[in-house]
Amino acid sequence: MPSLRDLQKKLLADILERNQHAAYLNHSDRINAYGDGYYRRFRGVLQNYFTIVRWYMGDGPFAEALARYIPSYPPSHPNINFYGDDFSTFLQDHHFDPVLIDIAKTQTILHHAHLQAPQKAFDLATVANQPLESWFHAKLTFQPSMTLFTTSYPIHILYNAYAQKDPPPASVPQKTMHYVTHRQGSSIFFEAFERIEYDLLIDFLAKHSLGQVLSTYEDQNIAEKLFEYFHKWQTYQLITGISFP
Amino acid sequence: MIFTSDNTNKLGHGLGLRSPHIDYILATKPMVDWFEVVTENYMHTRGNSFQKLMSVRKDYPIAIHGVSLSIGSTDEFDQNYLQTWKNFIDLIEPVMVSDHLCWTHVNAHHSHDLLPLPYTEEVIKHIVDRIDAVQNHIARPILLENASTYISFKESDLTEWTFISEIAQRSGCGILLDINNIFVNAHNHQFDPIEYIHGIDPHKIGYFHLAGHFDKGTYLFDTHGDRMAEQAWQLYEKTVQHTGLKPTLIEWDNDIPSFDTLMDERSIAIQRGQHAIA
Ligand SMILES: [Fe+2]
């Protein structure tokens, strides 16, 4: 008698191959009830996940890409909602248009930012009376959904075009972008940031104190700008806390 | 750990909570006794959907119904999944915790489908051990649902109802009895659904699922995308005559209709249940 494990390995293989003549099964001609479902389910998840990739690619090429992705990337996560996290890697490995790879990466980052708990934004006014010297050791905490990422193309332009229901542009100029995600109510947006501002956020995220950050950027006269940035980050609800050890 | 229906028997009639309806539910607080959510739609997030669930939870009992526990799998348990699940249970404090009597993955390849098991003594033992581990991990009994199947293993030497009853009896878990799935399987595998119902100990039943299916010609396919078929309602009535009234849930996952349609289907369930015991 075959072990349960052997039967499970055989059944999954037969489902994927749509083998209608498996001798260990009754009604093996119905195997497609599972086989069709397998591909339909994952196509559905990816269509919902990669709306903008699909818009940019067109329905036909997108369907073709899924038909290649699904057999080559067996789902490894117990939650089907994460199927698609490897899609940008797949596009990269198969030398798809680099714009598509950037869109897929962006969609994946936003997908994950959505999963983070919203936290109350910090009110800078509450620390207005902190003694000046204590600011040197101040450290910032940020909205858990805040994600910093770079792309080689201005993806936000494509997002805007998609939102306007425009057709995808014929070409997209290459340009290195530094993006930061931010939360507005129940939505996650991403914004292009200046390189220096982006780098500052990375340093603060790495738990560098205000003093350390100021010394890192000593020659760039950052102190004044930093004040401006703090207020901007506050309006984006990025800062959730400032600690003064 | 032993499931007993005594604490939950009076729960009443619930609906599957689906994202298109959540804002409406939060705004209007409809007269629904409880809601069931698909565990995996919430357990890996603390974002907006989770926050909304926490709001719904303030007004309604919540049951969580999983699809990826894979109790019948021969892979080792995914400890990450179990811990995330437990954390979620601790936050939601659901009235009932369930998944399916099936397997979903082998060699960590997740089919995300509820795949059938051979009905044998060896498999019963395997699953009872795994239920024991799971129930100890979350420190409460679970319920397992009978799944729809389209194929069966020639190796099976037990009926589906003996298989599920024995597992519930030996492991202490409860049964989430899906009436539509019994109807679908009775048709697909040519058995008497009444014999199935009478083979289940009513005290083991936590609640009923009611859902729609689709006739594919040579077999019935479980879609969760329609109202209950009349013959399935008749089976529901006969089941209630055997078990007495039990918590009952309308399950609708595909082609999700208006909330009013779900409420209407729920009213029918109440009427058919009352009719059964009259
Ligand atoms: Fe069900």
Side-chain angles (χ1 to χ4, degrees), chain A residues 46-122:
Chain A
L46 296 166
Q47 280 166 0
N48 287 332
Y49 194 140
F50 293 105
T51 45
I52 302 179
V53 174
R54 182 185 184 180
W55 161 81
Y56 188 81
M57 257 183 147
D59 286 353
F62 182 68
E64 276 169 41
L66 299 194
R68 288 169 66 193
Y69 174 70
I70 295 169
S72 53
Y73 279 79
S76 58
H77 198 286
N79 193 327
I80 194 169
N81 300 320
F82 292 81
Y83 187 61
D85 283 3
D86 297 321
F87 191 54
S88 62
T89 310
F90 162 82
L91 295 175
Q92 200 158 5
D93 289 351
H94 291 80
H95 311 290
F96 277 80
D97 179 350
V99 178
L100 281 173
I101 298 165
D102 271 351
I103 301 173
K105 267 192 209 164
T106 305
Q107 292 212 260
T108 303
I109 285 163
L110 295 186
H111 181 89
H112 282 266
H114 258 291
L115 303 178
Q116 302 301 320
Q119 279 186 9
K120 216 171 156 303
F122 186 73

Side-chain angles (χ1 to χ4, degrees), chain B residues 217-237:
Chain B
T218 51
Y219 62 94
L220 300 182
F221 188 71
D222 182 27
T223 56
H224 294 182
D226 210 340
R227 287 180 181 267
M228 275 269 279
E230 174 52 31
Q231 285 169 298
W233 278 122
Q234 288 170 17
L235 181 59
Y236 176 59
E237 288 193 7

Side-chain angles (χ1 to χ4, degrees), chain B residues 65 100 145 178 181 209 224 251:
Chain B
H65 182 49
H100 297 81
E145 176 180 354
D178 189 311
N181 290 352
H209 264 176
H224 294 182
E251 206 184 19

Side-chain angles (χ1 to χ4, degrees), chain B residues 36 65 100 114 145-147 176-181 208-211 222 224 249 251 253:
Chain B
E36 179 201 72
H65 182 49
H100 297 81
L114 311 173
E145 176 180 354
N146 57 305
L176 195 184
L177 201 64
D178 189 311
I179 302 299
N180 177 62
N181 290 352
F208 296 124
H209 264 176
L210 305 179
D222 182 27
H224 294 182
L249 184 114
E251 206 184 19
D253 298 293

Side-chain angles (χ1 to χ4, degrees), chain A residues 5 26 38 78-79 115 186, chain B residues 40 46 48 68 74 107 109 152:
Chain A
R5 187 159 188 80
N26 297 312
Y38 183 92
N79 193 327
L115 303 178
S186 61
Chain B
E40 286 77 6
R46 297 295 179 266
N48 296 305
S68 288
T74 50
N107 285 335
H109 179 161
S152 62

Side-chain angles (χ1 to χ4, degrees), chain A residues 4, chain B residues 71 101 117-131 157-171:
Chain A
L4 178 59
Chain B
I71 198 74
L101 185 55
L117 289 156
Y119 304 141
T120 65
E121 175 62 28
E122 180 206 339
V123 177
I124 289 177
K125 284 185 187 144
H126 172 69
I127 292 179
V128 167
D129 285 349
R130 282 174 62 98
I131 294 172
D157 51 16
L158 300 169
T159 61
E160 186 186 326
W161 54 95
T162 309
F163 183 73
I164 191 165
S165 291
E166 278 298 313
I167 286 173
Q169 205 57 50
R170 294 189 211 173
S171 70

Side-chain angles (χ1 to χ4, degrees), chain A residues 159-180:
Chain A
Y159 265 71
N160 290 339
Y162 174 79
Q164 306 285 323
K165 296 192 164 55
D166 288 345
S171 70
V172 183
Q174 195 167 357
K175 185 182 179 196
T176 302
M177 302 299 299
H178 297 87
Y179 288 123
V180 178

Side-chain angles (χ1 to χ4, degrees), chain B residues 64-88:
Chain B
I64 67 165
H65 182 49
V67 291
S68 288
L69 179 62
S70 200
I71 198 74
S73 186
T74 50
D75 286 351
E76 296 279 302
F77 274 117
D78 176 343
Q79 293 303 327
N80 235 326
Y81 177 90
L82 288 186
Q83 195 51 48
T84 308
W85 186 45
K86 185 182 187 319
N87 295 344
F88 179 63

